Amino acid sequence: LPPGQVNTLLAQLGRGDQDGFTAATLDLHARQLAQIRDAAQAGAQIVYERAKQLAPVSDAPHMFQIEGRKYGPFAPGTLRDSIYQAFSKDNSYKDASVYHVSWNATKAPYGAMVEVGTSRAPAKSFIARAVAETRAQVRAAIKQRYIEEVTK
């Protein structure tokens, strides 16, 4: 049952079997949430893997500078290696699971300058490009994983 119908059915039940029904309904709803989360993670994994492929990697250690202050050196692959995916509890709700795919700004503080560019350097998007390039594949993976989960 969709979550909205579960609440309606609970409200319509008499006192007699409500406790047993409530427990079974909560168990069903918890399984549905886990299935949705697993499906969302399947999609996030695709974006994550593509972003890591697209992230530029320098040939040698490098520095960057903001307002005259120098940062680094950063080893080749630091940006790529800082890319992560994480479940967002704050942005997920009832029947929607949200995953963030981004870079760790502590490990690679120059990530935004690479992703969106600066007044002196063009953007070399890797996150937004990964999302755009994998859109159809992500949709298919989410659908496939959800079907696999609900038919277990």
Side-chain angles (χ1 to χ4, degrees), residues 44-57 77-85 101-104 107 115 125-131 133-134:
Q45 184 69 30
I46 292 168
V47 174
Y48 167 79
E49 290 171 2
R50 184 65 181 139
K52 287 185 80 92
Q53 291 171 348
L54 293 171
V57 176
T78 297
L79 180 58
R80 178 202 57 219
D81 296 342
S82 77
I83 296 172
Y84 67 90
Q85 60 171 308
V101 177
S102 190
W103 65 91
N104 182 316
K107 294 179 181 177
E115 177 71 15
S125 177
F126 54 99
I127 300 289
R129 188 171 156 206
V131 170
E133 288 181 4
T134 61

PDB file of all heavy atoms in Angstrom, residues 44-57 77-85 101-104 107 115 125-131 133-134:
ATOM      1  N   ALA A  44      22.958   6.747  -7.602  1.00  0.00           N
ATOM      2  CA  ALA A  44      24.070   7.577  -7.122  1.00  0.00           C
ATOM      3  C   ALA A  44      25.415   6.950  -7.455  1.00  0.00           C
ATOM      4  O   ALA A  44      26.368   7.656  -7.796  1.00  0.00           O
ATOM      5  CB  ALA A  44      23.951   7.794  -5.615  1.00  0.00           C
ATOM      6  N   GLN A  45      25.483   5.641  -7.388  1.00  0.00           N
ATOM      7  CA  GLN A  45      26.737   4.941  -7.684  1.00  0.00           C
ATOM      8  C   GLN A  45      27.208   5.225  -9.113  1.00  0.00           C
ATOM      9  O   GLN A  45      28.395   5.413  -9.363  1.00  0.00           O
ATOM     10  CB  GLN A  45      26.571   3.430  -7.465  1.00  0.00           C
ATOM     11  CG  GLN A  45      27.837   2.632  -7.657  1.00  0.00           C
ATOM     12  CD  GLN A  45      28.868   2.899  -6.578  1.00  0.00           C
ATOM     13  OE1 GLN A  45      28.536   3.211  -5.443  1.00  0.00           O
ATOM     14  NE2 GLN A  45      30.140   2.757  -6.943  1.00  0.00           N
ATOM     15  N   ILE A  46      26.277   5.267 -10.032  1.00  0.00           N
ATOM     16  CA  ILE A  46      26.618   5.534 -11.443  1.00  0.00           C
ATOM     17  C   ILE A  46      27.183   6.940 -11.598  1.00  0.00           C
ATOM     18  O   ILE A  46      28.197   7.150 -12.264  1.00  0.00           O
ATOM     19  CB  ILE A  46      25.390   5.301 -12.339  1.00  0.00           C
ATOM     20  CG1 ILE A  46      25.047   3.810 -12.346  1.00  0.00           C
ATOM     21  CG2 ILE A  46      25.619   5.828 -13.753  1.00  0.00           C
ATOM     22  CD1 ILE A  46      23.701   3.485 -12.940  1.00  0.00           C
ATOM     23  N   VAL A  47      26.529   7.924 -10.977  1.00  0.00           N
ATOM     24  CA  VAL A  47      27.010   9.313 -11.049  1.00  0.00           C
ATOM     25  C   VAL A  47      28.383   9.411 -10.390  1.00  0.00           C
ATOM     26  O   VAL A  47      29.302  10.039 -10.926  1.00  0.00           O
ATOM     27  CB  VAL A  47      26.011  10.281 -10.390  1.00  0.00           C
ATOM     28  CG1 VAL A  47      26.575  11.703 -10.342  1.00  0.00           C
ATOM     29  CG2 VAL A  47      24.679  10.263 -11.126  1.00  0.00           C
ATOM     30  N   TYR A  48      28.532   8.791  -9.233  1.00  0.00           N
ATOM     31  CA  TYR A  48      29.796   8.794  -8.494  1.00  0.00           C
ATOM     32  C   TYR A  48      30.942   8.243  -9.342  1.00  0.00           C
ATOM     33  O   TYR A  48      32.010   8.862  -9.457  1.00  0.00           O
ATOM     34  CB  TYR A  48      29.606   7.971  -7.219  1.00  0.00           C
ATOM     35  CG  TYR A  48      30.868   7.602  -6.489  1.00  0.00           C
ATOM     36  CD1 TYR A  48      31.517   8.517  -5.671  1.00  0.00           C
ATOM     37  CD2 TYR A  48      31.400   6.317  -6.579  1.00  0.00           C
ATOM     38  CE1 TYR A  48      32.661   8.164  -4.976  1.00  0.00           C
ATOM     39  CE2 TYR A  48      32.540   5.959  -5.885  1.00  0.00           C
ATOM     40  CZ  TYR A  48      33.168   6.887  -5.091  1.00  0.00           C
ATOM     41  OH  TYR A  48      34.309   6.534  -4.406  1.00  0.00           O
ATOM     42  N   GLU A  49      30.724   7.095  -9.944  1.00  0.00           N
ATOM     43  CA  GLU A  49      31.775   6.477 -10.762  1.00  0.00           C
ATOM     44  C   GLU A  49      32.136   7.346 -11.962  1.00  0.00           C
ATOM     45  O   GLU A  49      33.309   7.498 -12.298  1.00  0.00           O
ATOM     46  CB  GLU A  49      31.344   5.083 -11.203  1.00  0.00           C
ATOM     47  CG  GLU A  49      31.308   4.091 -10.058  1.00  0.00           C
ATOM     48  CD  GLU A  49      30.687   2.749 -10.422  1.00  0.00           C
ATOM     49  OE1 GLU A  49      30.298   2.539 -11.594  1.00  0.00           O
ATOM     50  OE2 GLU A  49      30.596   1.896  -9.517  1.00  0.00           O
ATOM     51  N   ARG A  50      31.123   7.940 -12.602  1.00  0.00           N
ATOM     52  CA  ARG A  50      31.404   8.789 -13.768  1.00  0.00           C
ATOM     53  C   ARG A  50      32.124  10.070 -13.349  1.00  0.00           C
ATOM     54  O   ARG A  50      33.037  10.522 -14.042  1.00  0.00           O
ATOM     55  CB  ARG A  50      30.104   9.110 -14.525  1.00  0.00           C
ATOM     56  CG  ARG A  50      30.320   9.902 -15.786  1.00  0.00           C
ATOM     57  CD  ARG A  50      31.115   9.107 -16.817  1.00  0.00           C
ATOM     58  NE  ARG A  50      31.325   9.889 -18.012  1.00  0.00           N
ATOM     59  CZ  ARG A  50      32.455   9.924 -18.697  1.00  0.00           C
ATOM     60  NH1 ARG A  50      33.473   9.164 -18.327  1.00  0.00           N
ATOM     61  NH2 ARG A  50      32.577  10.674 -19.762  1.00  0.00           N
ATOM     62  N   ALA A  51      31.733  10.649 -12.221  1.00  0.00           N
ATOM     63  CA  ALA A  51      32.400  11.867 -11.741  1.00  0.00           C
ATOM     64  C   ALA A  51      33.880  11.589 -11.473  1.00  0.00           C
ATOM     65  O   ALA A  51      34.739  12.411 -11.798  1.00  0.00           O
ATOM     66  CB  ALA A  51      31.712  12.391 -10.486  1.00  0.00           C
ATOM     67  N   LYS A  52      34.182  10.436 -10.908  1.00  0.00           N
ATOM     68  CA  LYS A  52      35.582  10.084 -10.652  1.00  0.00           C
ATOM     69  C   LYS A  52      36.361   9.930 -11.962  1.00  0.00           C
ATOM     70  O   LYS A  52      37.539  10.291 -12.036  1.00  0.00           O
ATOM     71  CB  LYS A  52      35.668   8.819  -9.808  1.00  0.00           C
ATOM     72  CG  LYS A  52      35.262   9.068  -8.355  1.00  0.00           C
ATOM     73  CD  LYS A  52      35.454   7.867  -7.479  1.00  0.00           C
ATOM     74  CE  LYS A  52      36.854   7.676  -7.056  1.00  0.00           C
ATOM     75  NZ  LYS A  52      37.260   8.277  -5.798  1.00  0.00           N
ATOM     76  N   GLN A  53      35.698   9.414 -12.996  1.00  0.00           N
ATOM     77  CA  GLN A  53      36.354   9.292 -14.301  1.00  0.00           C
ATOM     78  C   GLN A  53      36.613  10.660 -14.924  1.00  0.00           C
ATOM     79  O   GLN A  53      37.628  10.873 -15.584  1.00  0.00           O
ATOM     80  CB  GLN A  53      35.488   8.477 -15.261  1.00  0.00           C
ATOM     81  CG  GLN A  53      35.367   7.019 -14.919  1.00  0.00           C
ATOM     82  CD  GLN A  53      34.322   6.320 -15.777  1.00  0.00           C
ATOM     83  OE1 GLN A  53      33.537   6.952 -16.481  1.00  0.00           O
ATOM     84  NE2 GLN A  53      34.306   4.997 -15.700  1.00  0.00           N
ATOM     85  N   LEU A  54      35.674  11.588 -14.723  1.00  0.00           N
ATOM     86  CA  LEU A  54      35.764  12.904 -15.354  1.00  0.00           C
ATOM     87  C   LEU A  54      36.642  13.900 -14.597  1.00  0.00           C
ATOM     88  O   LEU A  54      37.100  14.888 -15.188  1.00  0.00           O
ATOM     89  CB  LEU A  54      34.369  13.511 -15.508  1.00  0.00           C
ATOM     90  CG  LEU A  54      33.428  12.822 -16.484  1.00  0.00           C
ATOM     91  CD1 LEU A  54      32.025  13.406 -16.363  1.00  0.00           C
ATOM     92  CD2 LEU A  54      33.948  12.962 -17.911  1.00  0.00           C
ATOM     93  N   ALA A  55      36.869  13.690 -13.327  1.00  0.00           N
ATOM     94  CA  ALA A  55      37.656  14.638 -12.537  1.00  0.00           C
ATOM     95  C   ALA A  55      39.058  14.757 -13.112  1.00  0.00           C
ATOM     96  O   ALA A  55      39.735  13.756 -13.322  1.00  0.00           O
ATOM     97  CB  ALA A  55      37.721  14.191 -11.082  1.00  0.00           C
ATOM     98  N   PRO A  56      39.484  15.979 -13.393  1.00  0.00           N
ATOM     99  CA  PRO A  56      40.832  16.141 -13.949  1.00  0.00           C
ATOM    100  C   PRO A  56      41.910  15.750 -12.943  1.00  0.00           C
ATOM    101  O   PRO A  56      41.757  15.948 -11.739  1.00  0.00           O
ATOM    102  CB  PRO A  56      40.908  17.636 -14.277  1.00  0.00           C
ATOM    103  CG  PRO A  56      39.795  18.281 -13.542  1.00  0.00           C
ATOM    104  CD  PRO A  56      38.782  17.245 -13.224  1.00  0.00           C
ATOM    105  N   VAL A  57      42.972  15.164 -13.453  1.00  0.00           N
ATOM    106  CA  VAL A  57      44.105  14.743 -12.626  1.00  0.00           C
ATOM    107  C   VAL A  57      45.353  15.390 -13.216  1.00  0.00           C
ATOM    108  O   VAL A  57      45.655  15.210 -14.396  1.00  0.00           O
ATOM    109  CB  VAL A  57      44.247  13.204 -12.620  1.00  0.00           C
ATOM    110  CG1 VAL A  57      45.489  12.782 -11.843  1.00  0.00           C
ATOM    111  CG2 VAL A  57      42.997  12.545 -12.045  1.00  0.00           C
ATOM    112  N   GLY A  77      45.546  13.664  -8.496  1.00  0.00           N
ATOM    113  CA  GLY A  77      44.425  12.789  -8.157  1.00  0.00           C
ATOM    114  C   GLY A  77      43.707  13.146  -6.865  1.00  0.00           C
ATOM    115  O   GLY A  77      42.748  12.478  -6.485  1.00  0.00           O
ATOM    116  N   THR A  78      44.146  14.206  -6.187  1.00  0.00           N
ATOM    117  CA  THR A  78      43.519  14.596  -4.921  1.00  0.00           C
ATOM    118  C   THR A  78      42.036  14.896  -5.115  1.00  0.00           C
ATOM    119  O   THR A  78      41.195  14.439  -4.331  1.00  0.00           O
ATOM    120  CB  THR A  78      44.230  15.815  -4.303  1.00  0.00           C
ATOM    121  OG1 THR A  78      45.573  15.454  -4.000  1.00  0.00           O
ATOM    122  CG2 THR A  78      43.535  16.292  -3.048  1.00  0.00           C
ATOM    123  N   LEU A  79      41.702  15.652  -6.144  1.00  0.00           N
ATOM    124  CA  LEU A  79      40.303  15.996  -6.385  1.00  0.00           C
ATOM    125  C   LEU A  79      39.490  14.734  -6.678  1.00  0.00           C
ATOM    126  O   LEU A  79      38.443  14.498  -6.079  1.00  0.00           O
ATOM    127  CB  LEU A  79      40.182  17.003  -7.533  1.00  0.00           C
ATOM    128  CG  LEU A  79      38.767  17.437  -7.891  1.00  0.00           C
ATOM    129  CD1 LEU A  79      38.056  18.060  -6.699  1.00  0.00           C
ATOM    130  CD2 LEU A  79      38.809  18.416  -9.059  1.00  0.00           C
ATOM    131  N   ARG A  80      39.982  13.922  -7.575  1.00  0.00           N
ATOM    132  CA  ARG A  80      39.294  12.675  -7.926  1.00  0.00           C
ATOM    133  C   ARG A  80      39.084  11.806  -6.690  1.00  0.00           C
ATOM    134  O   ARG A  80      38.002  11.279  -6.453  1.00  0.00           O
ATOM    135  CB  ARG A  80      40.101  11.908  -8.968  1.00  0.00           C
ATOM    136  CG  ARG A  80      39.475  10.555  -9.351  1.00  0.00           C
ATOM    137  CD  ARG A  80      40.472   9.589  -9.935  1.00  0.00           C
ATOM    138  NE  ARG A  80      41.575   9.359  -9.009  1.00  0.00           N
ATOM    139  CZ  ARG A  80      42.841   9.236  -9.377  1.00  0.00           C
ATOM    140  NH1 ARG A  80      43.188   9.288 -10.642  1.00  0.00           N
ATOM    141  NH2 ARG A  80      43.784   9.037  -8.478  1.00  0.00           N
ATOM    142  N   ASP A  81      40.113  11.697  -5.882  1.00  0.00           N
ATOM    143  CA  ASP A  81      40.041  10.841  -4.703  1.00  0.00           C
ATOM    144  C   ASP A  81      39.162  11.417  -3.597  1.00  0.00           C
ATOM    145  O   ASP A  81      38.777  10.696  -2.673  1.00  0.00           O
ATOM    146  CB  ASP A  81      41.438  10.561  -4.161  1.00  0.00           C
ATOM    147  CG  ASP A  81      42.293   9.776  -5.146  1.00  0.00           C
ATOM    148  OD1 ASP A  81      41.724   9.166  -6.088  1.00  0.00           O
ATOM    149  OD2 ASP A  81      43.522   9.775  -4.985  1.00  0.00           O
ATOM    150  N   SER A  82      38.837  12.707  -3.678  1.00  0.00           N
ATOM    151  CA  SER A  82      37.990  13.329  -2.651  1.00  0.00           C
ATOM    152  C   SER A  82      36.500  13.222  -2.985  1.00  0.00           C
ATOM    153  O   SER A  82      35.664  13.595  -2.164  1.00  0.00           O
ATOM    154  CB  SER A  82      38.371  14.804  -2.469  1.00  0.00           C
ATOM    155  OG  SER A  82      37.845  15.591  -3.527  1.00  0.00           O
ATOM    156  N   ILE A  83      36.171  12.704  -4.144  1.00  0.00           N
ATOM    157  CA  ILE A  83      34.760  12.578  -4.535  1.00  0.00           C
ATOM    158  C   ILE A  83      34.103  11.500  -3.680  1.00  0.00           C
ATOM    159  O   ILE A  83      34.682  10.447  -3.434  1.00  0.00           O
ATOM    160  CB  ILE A  83      34.633  12.270  -6.035  1.00  0.00           C
ATOM    161  CG1 ILE A  83      35.174  13.443  -6.852  1.00  0.00           C
ATOM    162  CG2 ILE A  83      33.183  11.981  -6.416  1.00  0.00           C
ATOM    163  CD1 ILE A  83      35.275  13.184  -8.338  1.00  0.00           C
ATOM    164  N   TYR A  84      32.905  11.803  -3.219  1.00  0.00           N
ATOM    165  CA  TYR A  84      32.183  10.872  -2.355  1.00  0.00           C
ATOM    166  C   TYR A  84      30.703  10.848  -2.729  1.00  0.00           C
ATOM    167  O   TYR A  84      30.215  11.723  -3.450  1.00  0.00           O
ATOM    168  CB  TYR A  84      32.321  11.279  -0.880  1.00  0.00           C
ATOM    169  CG  TYR A  84      31.618  12.579  -0.566  1.00  0.00           C
ATOM    170  CD1 TYR A  84      30.284  12.592  -0.159  1.00  0.00           C
ATOM    171  CD2 TYR A  84      32.270  13.797  -0.699  1.00  0.00           C
ATOM    172  CE1 TYR A  84      29.629  13.780   0.105  1.00  0.00           C
ATOM    173  CE2 TYR A  84      31.625  14.988  -0.434  1.00  0.00           C
ATOM    174  CZ  TYR A  84      30.304  14.979  -0.026  1.00  0.00           C
ATOM    175  OH  TYR A  84      29.655  16.160   0.227  1.00  0.00           O
ATOM    176  N   GLN A  85      30.010   9.844  -2.226  1.00  0.00           N
ATOM    177  CA  GLN A  85      28.554   9.813  -2.283  1.00  0.00           C
ATOM    178  C   GLN A  85      28.079   9.558  -0.866  1.00  0.00           C
ATOM    179  O   GLN A  85      28.693   8.791  -0.121  1.00  0.00           O
ATOM    180  CB  GLN A  85      28.043   8.735  -3.231  1.00  0.00           C
ATOM    181  CG  GLN A  85      28.459   7.342  -2.872  1.00  0.00           C
ATOM    182  CD  GLN A  85      27.765   6.296  -3.706  1.00  0.00           C
ATOM    183  OE1 GLN A  85      26.553   6.289  -3.803  1.00  0.00           O
ATOM    184  NE2 GLN A  85      28.559   5.434  -4.316  1.00  0.00           N
ATOM    185  N   VAL A 101      26.397  13.532  -4.328  1.00  0.00           N
ATOM    186  CA  VAL A 101      27.677  13.177  -4.929  1.00  0.00           C
ATOM    187  C   VAL A 101      28.416  14.497  -5.084  1.00  0.00           C
ATOM    188  O   VAL A 101      27.928  15.417  -5.747  1.00  0.00           O
ATOM    189  CB  VAL A 101      27.508  12.473  -6.294  1.00  0.00           C
ATOM    190  CG1 VAL A 101      28.878  12.201  -6.917  1.00  0.00           C
ATOM    191  CG2 VAL A 101      26.709  11.188  -6.148  1.00  0.00           C
ATOM    192  N   SER A 102      29.570  14.596  -4.446  1.00  0.00           N
ATOM    193  CA  SER A 102      30.326  15.845  -4.465  1.00  0.00           C
ATOM    194  C   SER A 102      31.787  15.532  -4.152  1.00  0.00           C
ATOM    195  O   SER A 102      32.186  14.377  -4.154  1.00  0.00           O
ATOM    196  CB  SER A 102      29.755  16.822  -3.432  1.00  0.00           C
ATOM    197  OG  SER A 102      30.316  18.114  -3.589  1.00  0.00           O
ATOM    198  N   TRP A 103      32.562  16.568  -3.877  1.00  0.00           N
ATOM    199  CA  TRP A 103      33.944  16.381  -3.464  1.00  0.00           C
ATOM    200  C   TRP A 103      34.076  16.905  -2.041  1.00  0.00           C
ATOM    201  O   TRP A 103      33.329  17.777  -1.608  1.00  0.00           O
ATOM    202  CB  TRP A 103      34.921  17.107  -4.400  1.00  0.00           C
ATOM    203  CG  TRP A 103      34.768  18.589  -4.362  1.00  0.00           C
ATOM    204  CD1 TRP A 103      35.432  19.475  -3.542  1.00  0.00           C
ATOM    205  CD2 TRP A 103      33.867  19.380  -5.137  1.00  0.00           C
ATOM    206  NE1 TRP A 103      35.004  20.749  -3.769  1.00  0.00           N
ATOM    207  CE2 TRP A 103      34.034  20.714  -4.752  1.00  0.00           C
ATOM    208  CE3 TRP A 103      32.943  19.082  -6.128  1.00  0.00           C
ATOM    209  CZ2 TRP A 103      33.299  21.754  -5.314  1.00  0.00           C
ATOM    210  CZ3 TRP A 103      32.212  20.109  -6.690  1.00  0.00           C
ATOM    211  CH2 TRP A 103      32.397  21.431  -6.284  1.00  0.00           C
ATOM    212  N   ASN A 104      35.041  16.377  -1.320  1.00  0.00           N
ATOM    213  CA  ASN A 104      35.323  16.808   0.039  1.00  0.00           C
ATOM    214  C   ASN A 104      36.135  18.097  -0.051  1.00  0.00           C
ATOM    215  O   ASN A 104      37.292  18.088  -0.474  1.00  0.00           O
ATOM    216  CB  ASN A 104      36.092  15.715   0.778  1.00  0.00           C
ATOM    217  CG  ASN A 104      36.372  16.071   2.212  1.00  0.00           C
ATOM    218  OD1 ASN A 104      36.767  17.182   2.531  1.00  0.00           O
ATOM    219  ND2 ASN A 104      36.180  15.105   3.090  1.00  0.00           N
ATOM    220  N   LYS A 107      39.576  18.193   1.744  1.00  0.00           N
ATOM    221  CA  LYS A 107      40.674  17.499   1.068  1.00  0.00           C
ATOM    222  C   LYS A 107      41.066  18.172  -0.240  1.00  0.00           C
ATOM    223  O   LYS A 107      42.229  18.148  -0.628  1.00  0.00           O
ATOM    224  CB  LYS A 107      40.274  16.049   0.781  1.00  0.00           C
ATOM    225  CG  LYS A 107      40.090  15.220   2.027  1.00  0.00           C
ATOM    226  CD  LYS A 107      39.663  13.806   1.690  1.00  0.00           C
ATOM    227  CE  LYS A 107      39.456  12.980   2.947  1.00  0.00           C
ATOM    228  NZ  LYS A 107      38.978  11.632   2.646  1.00  0.00           N
ATOM    229  N   GLU A 115      35.174  22.862 -10.938  1.00  0.00           N
ATOM    230  CA  GLU A 115      33.809  22.561 -11.383  1.00  0.00           C
ATOM    231  C   GLU A 115      33.166  23.729 -12.127  1.00  0.00           C
ATOM    232  O   GLU A 115      32.586  23.539 -13.186  1.00  0.00           O
ATOM    233  CB  GLU A 115      32.944  22.148 -10.191  1.00  0.00           C
ATOM    234  CG  GLU A 115      31.492  21.872 -10.505  1.00  0.00           C
ATOM    235  CD  GLU A 115      31.243  20.591 -11.292  1.00  0.00           C
ATOM    236  OE1 GLU A 115      32.125  19.726 -11.382  1.00  0.00           O
ATOM    237  OE2 GLU A 115      30.142  20.457 -11.840  1.00  0.00           O
ATOM    238  N   SER A 125      33.932  20.955 -15.586  1.00  0.00           N
ATOM    239  CA  SER A 125      32.889  20.307 -14.805  1.00  0.00           C
ATOM    240  C   SER A 125      33.054  18.791 -14.795  1.00  0.00           C
ATOM    241  O   SER A 125      33.291  18.173 -15.826  1.00  0.00           O
ATOM    242  CB  SER A 125      31.515  20.670 -15.362  1.00  0.00           C
ATOM    243  OG  SER A 125      30.518  19.987 -14.657  1.00  0.00           O
ATOM    244  N   PHE A 126      32.922  18.222 -13.624  1.00  0.00           N
ATOM    245  CA  PHE A 126      32.977  16.768 -13.492  1.00  0.00           C
ATOM    246  C   PHE A 126      31.742  16.243 -12.764  1.00  0.00           C
ATOM    247  O   PHE A 126      31.262  15.167 -13.085  1.00  0.00           O
ATOM    248  CB  PHE A 126      34.276  16.309 -12.815  1.00  0.00           C
ATOM    249  CG  PHE A 126      34.539  16.968 -11.485  1.00  0.00           C
ATOM    250  CD1 PHE A 126      34.243  16.319 -10.306  1.00  0.00           C
ATOM    251  CD2 PHE A 126      35.078  18.245 -11.429  1.00  0.00           C
ATOM    252  CE1 PHE A 126      34.483  16.931  -9.090  1.00  0.00           C
ATOM    253  CE2 PHE A 126      35.325  18.869 -10.217  1.00  0.00           C
ATOM    254  CZ  PHE A 126      35.022  18.212  -9.038  1.00  0.00           C
ATOM    255  N   ILE A 127      31.173  17.001 -11.844  1.00  0.00           N
ATOM    256  CA  ILE A 127      29.962  16.561 -11.143  1.00  0.00           C
ATOM    257  C   ILE A 127      28.733  16.805 -12.020  1.00  0.00           C
ATOM    258  O   ILE A 127      27.979  15.871 -12.319  1.00  0.00           O
ATOM    259  CB  ILE A 127      29.801  17.261  -9.778  1.00  0.00           C
ATOM    260  CG1 ILE A 127      30.981  16.964  -8.854  1.00  0.00           C
ATOM    261  CG2 ILE A 127      28.462  16.878  -9.139  1.00  0.00           C
ATOM    262  CD1 ILE A 127      31.055  15.555  -8.318  1.00  0.00           C
ATOM    263  N   ALA A 128      28.515  18.042 -12.437  1.00  0.00           N
ATOM    264  CA  ALA A 128      27.340  18.345 -13.260  1.00  0.00           C
ATOM    265  C   ALA A 128      27.383  17.565 -14.575  1.00  0.00           C
ATOM    266  O   ALA A 128      26.350  17.063 -15.041  1.00  0.00           O
ATOM    267  CB  ALA A 128      27.259  19.842 -13.539  1.00  0.00           C
ATOM    268  N   ARG A 129      28.559  17.440 -15.135  1.00  0.00           N
ATOM    269  CA  ARG A 129      28.693  16.681 -16.381  1.00  0.00           C
ATOM    270  C   ARG A 129      28.374  15.197 -16.158  1.00  0.00           C
ATOM    271  O   ARG A 129      27.723  14.561 -16.987  1.00  0.00           O
ATOM    272  CB  ARG A 129      30.110  16.849 -16.924  1.00  0.00           C
ATOM    273  CG  ARG A 129      30.305  16.268 -18.296  1.00  0.00           C
ATOM    274  CD  ARG A 129      31.653  16.669 -18.860  1.00  0.00           C
ATOM    275  NE  ARG A 129      32.043  15.688 -19.857  1.00  0.00           N
ATOM    276  CZ  ARG A 129      33.278  15.414 -20.189  1.00  0.00           C
ATOM    277  NH1 ARG A 129      34.291  16.062 -19.634  1.00  0.00           N
ATOM    278  NH2 ARG A 129      33.537  14.516 -21.100  1.00  0.00           N
ATOM    279  N   ALA A 130      28.796  14.647 -15.022  1.00  0.00           N
ATOM    280  CA  ALA A 130      28.495  13.247 -14.706  1.00  0.00           C
ATOM    281  C   ALA A 130      26.984  13.047 -14.581  1.00  0.00           C
ATOM    282  O   ALA A 130      26.444  12.060 -15.087  1.00  0.00           O
ATOM    283  CB  ALA A 130      29.189  12.835 -13.408  1.00  0.00           C
ATOM    284  N   VAL A 131      26.311  13.978 -13.945  1.00  0.00           N
ATOM    285  CA  VAL A 131      24.851  13.896 -13.805  1.00  0.00           C
ATOM    286  C   VAL A 131      24.199  13.930 -15.177  1.00  0.00           C
ATOM    287  O   VAL A 131      23.340  13.099 -15.496  1.00  0.00           O
ATOM    288  CB  VAL A 131      24.313  15.032 -12.908  1.00  0.00           C
ATOM    289  CG1 VAL A 131      22.792  15.091 -12.951  1.00  0.00           C
ATOM    290  CG2 VAL A 131      24.811  14.869 -11.482  1.00  0.00           C
ATOM    291  N   GLU A 133      25.469  13.332 -18.190  1.00  0.00           N
ATOM    292  CA  GLU A 133      25.842  12.226 -19.071  1.00  0.00           C
ATOM    293  C   GLU A 133      25.215  10.885 -18.676  1.00  0.00           C
ATOM    294  O   GLU A 133      25.083  10.003 -19.516  1.00  0.00           O
ATOM    295  CB  GLU A 133      27.366  12.061 -19.110  1.00  0.00           C
ATOM    296  CG  GLU A 133      28.077  13.145 -19.862  1.00  0.00           C
ATOM    297  CD  GLU A 133      29.581  12.931 -19.902  1.00  0.00           C
ATOM    298  OE1 GLU A 133      30.077  11.887 -19.404  1.00  0.00           O
ATOM    299  OE2 GLU A 133      30.271  13.820 -20.435  1.00  0.00           O
ATOM    300  N   THR A 134      24.860  10.739 -17.424  1.00  0.00           N
ATOM    301  CA  THR A 134      24.378   9.434 -16.964  1.00  0.00           C
ATOM    302  C   THR A 134      22.873   9.412 -16.682  1.00  0.00           C
ATOM    303  O   THR A 134      22.361   8.407 -16.196  1.00  0.00           O
ATOM    304  CB  THR A 134      25.118   9.003 -15.686  1.00  0.00           C
ATOM    305  OG1 THR A 134      24.861   9.956 -14.652  1.00  0.00           O
ATOM    306  CG2 THR A 134      26.610   8.858 -15.923  1.00  0.00           C
TER     307      THR A 134
END
